[in-house]
């Protein structure tokens, strides 16, 4: 009976993440008045939505054994590209309606990610170098689209109801994040695409010998990462009614940290999208603690995140030795 209840080694990172989240939330709830309120909960998810969207795409990438350093830059590019598409010609834009501009931006972000996936797969290039080049390219294109790094979308009536929209206290970014999260959880666990992602991360050579579509799936994985990042950029542009070429700076590192803290192995093949949600919440709680403390330097959040990363990377190494 005890043996039957013993968790499998691949589940241990997720259990560790749950333990850290419960402990962190309990301490914060006891220390800070109002921390457990519904308003604080919805605000935490809303503030974490851009990071969460990037982390969802990053989860699939890391599950496959890859990495994507371009997501923060793609968010910035998508926001500024949407603004450029929608502003008038007197501001150097294309004066597109929102129902045309938004799908165009999402398509470009998806194509950008898929192109990096094609380079990685068919030219046998390291994901680190390809996505690093993609990061510089996307950020450079964003900076080149405006003279002062920011482009305001003026007189856009379709954005006003979206900015003011609330459902049970959740705003549009929070709802989009939660909806895409649920969809990603389903895709990762109950579709052929999800199973192939795990197979590639577990052992790419074995997956290839089994006749699985490695090439197509790799392209789809990075296209999905680009799509998630571009959705984050669109939501930022809607919320701020502007595009910003400097937004999302170093967000790719936070996304990687979130996925790792969420229990996904950097070597691929082990992890869950649900764990990424837990990682997002952990980083979100750590980020808002200085606000409650008042006199605490915000750089302590980076120190705490770094400490957690060391802890989880060490735990991953021990787990890998047990699995092997």
């Amino acid at each position: 009976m005890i043996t039957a209840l013993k968790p499998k080694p691949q589940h241990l990172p997720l259990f560790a993440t749950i333990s850290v989240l419960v402990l962190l939330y309990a301490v914060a709830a006891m220390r800070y008045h109002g921390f457990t309120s519904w308003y604080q909960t919805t605000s935490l998810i809303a503030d974490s939505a851009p990071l969460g969207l990037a982390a969802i795409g990053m989860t699939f990438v890391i599950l496959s054994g890859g990495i994507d350093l371009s997501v923060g830059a793609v968010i910035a590019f998508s926001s500024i590209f949407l603004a450029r598409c929608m502003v008038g010609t007197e501001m150097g834009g294309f004066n597109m309606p929102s129902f045309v501009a938004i799908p165009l931006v999402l398509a470009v972000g998806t194509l950008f990610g898929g192109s990096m996936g094609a380079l990685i797969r068919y030219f046998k290039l390291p994901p680190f170098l390809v996505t690093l080049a993609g990061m510089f390219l996307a950020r450079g294109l964003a900076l080149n689209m405006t003279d002062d790094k920011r482009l305001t979308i003026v007189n856009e009536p379709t954005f006003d109801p979206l900015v003011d929209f609330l459902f049970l206290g959740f705003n549009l970014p929070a709802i989009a994040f939660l909806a895409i999260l649920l969809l990603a959880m389903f895709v990762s666990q109950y579709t052929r695409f999800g199973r192939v992602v795990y197979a590639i991360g577990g052992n790419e050579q074995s997956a290839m010998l089994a006749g699985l579509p490695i090439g197509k799936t790799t392209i789809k994985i990075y296209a999905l990462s680009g799509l998630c990042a571009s959705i984050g950029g669109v939501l930022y542009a809607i919320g701020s009614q502007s595009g910003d070429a400097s937004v999302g700076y170093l967000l790719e590192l936070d996304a990687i940290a979130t996925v790792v803290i969420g229990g996904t192995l950097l070597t691929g093949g082990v992890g869950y999208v649900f764990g990424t949600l837990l990682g997002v919440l952990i980083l979100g709680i750590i980020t808002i603690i200085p606000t409650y403390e008042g006199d605490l330097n915000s750089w302590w959040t980076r120190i705490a995140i770094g400490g957690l990363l060391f802890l989880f990377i060490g735990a991953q190494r021990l787990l890998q030795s047990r699995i092997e």
Side-chain angles (χ1 to χ4, degrees):
M1 183 66 177
I2 295 176
T3 303
L5 293 175
K6 186 178 180 180
K8 296 180 180 180
Q10 58 267 33
H11 296 157
L12 293 178
L14 183 61
F15 291 148
T17 302
I18 294 173
S19 300
V20 170
L21 177 60
V22 170
L23 178 62
L24 189 62
Y25 188 85
V27 171
M30 289 186 292
R31 183 173 175 82
Y32 308 121
H33 177 71
F35 186 83
T36 59
S37 67
W38 184 245
Y39 172 78
Q40 180 59 68
T41 301
T42 56
S43 296
L44 174 63
I45 295 176
D47 293 342
S48 303
L51 171 61
L53 286 166
I56 290 172
M58 188 72 74
T59 303
F60 284 90
V61 172
I62 294 180
L63 278 173
S64 70
I67 202 76
D68 188 354
L69 300 178
S70 69
V71 291
V74 171
I75 289 176
F77 169 75
S78 298
S79 72
I80 203 76
F81 183 42
L82 178 62
R84 186 71 179 272
C85 288
M86 295 185 65
V87 299
T89 53
E90 70 279 1
M91 299 177 64
F94 306 111
N95 202 26
M96 293 182 181
S98 59
F99 63 84
V100 174
I102 291 176
L104 175 62
V105 171
L106 298 181
V108 170
T110 304
L111 180 62
F112 186 83
S115 300
M116 291 190 297
L119 290 172
I120 291 167
R121 177 60 196 166
Y122 295 115
F123 290 89
K124 309 297 181 183
L125 298 175
F128 178 89
L129 295 179
V130 173
T131 58
L132 180 65
M135 177 185 73
F136 286 124
L137 177 60
R139 186 71 68 178
L141 289 172
L143 291 169
N144 192 52
M145 285 188 178
T146 178
D147 295 329
D148 55 1
K149 296 185 180 180
R150 193 175 182 87
L151 189 59
T152 302
I153 304 171
V154 294
N155 300 324
E156 182 48 53
T158 59
F159 280 5
D160 293 334
L162 297 178
V163 173
D164 298 331
F165 178 79
L166 284 176
F167 178 73
L168 299 177
F170 293 103
N171 62 9
L172 179 63
I175 292 172
F177 167 52
L178 293 175
I180 293 172
L181 177 79
L182 292 174
L183 180 60
M185 290 170 62
F186 175 81
V187 169
S188 65
Q189 296 298 316
Y190 300 106
T191 66
R192 186 169 185 264
F193 171 74
R195 291 190 290 271
V196 176
V197 171
Y198 278 96
I200 294 173
N203 192 317
E204 184 175 334
Q205 192 64 32
S206 297
M208 187 179 300
L209 292 175
L212 298 178
I214 306 298
K216 290 182 180 179
T217 303
T218 300
I219 294 174
K220 290 178 182 178
I221 289 168
Y222 284 90
L224 176 62
S225 182
L227 173 61
C228 289
S230 61
I231 292 174
V234 168
L235 290 174
Y236 173 85
I238 292 174
S240 64
Q241 299 199 22
S242 65
D244 192 339
S246 62
V247 73
Y249 182 66
L250 295 182
L251 184 136
E252 55 275 350
L253 301 183
D254 287 337
I256 295 170
T258 296
V259 174
V260 173
I261 292 173
T264 300
L265 295 190
L266 281 169
T267 52
V270 176
Y272 299 93
V273 176
F274 176 70
T276 297
L277 169 63
L278 303 181
V280 168
L281 294 177
I282 289 173
L283 261 68
I285 293 173
I286 292 173
T287 301
I288 64 175
I289 283 178
T291 303
Y292 279 94
E293 289 290 342
D295 58 347
L296 185 64
N297 193 306
S298 61
W299 283 107
W300 280 105
T301 62
R302 294 296 172 184
I303 295 173
I305 293 170
L308 276 177
L309 268 178
F310 275 122
L311 177 65
F312 275 87
I313 291 171
Q316 286 188 7
R317 184 58 191 144
L318 293 175
L319 174 63
Q320 283 179 286
S321 63
R322 291 189 61 178
I323 294 176
E324 294 169 359

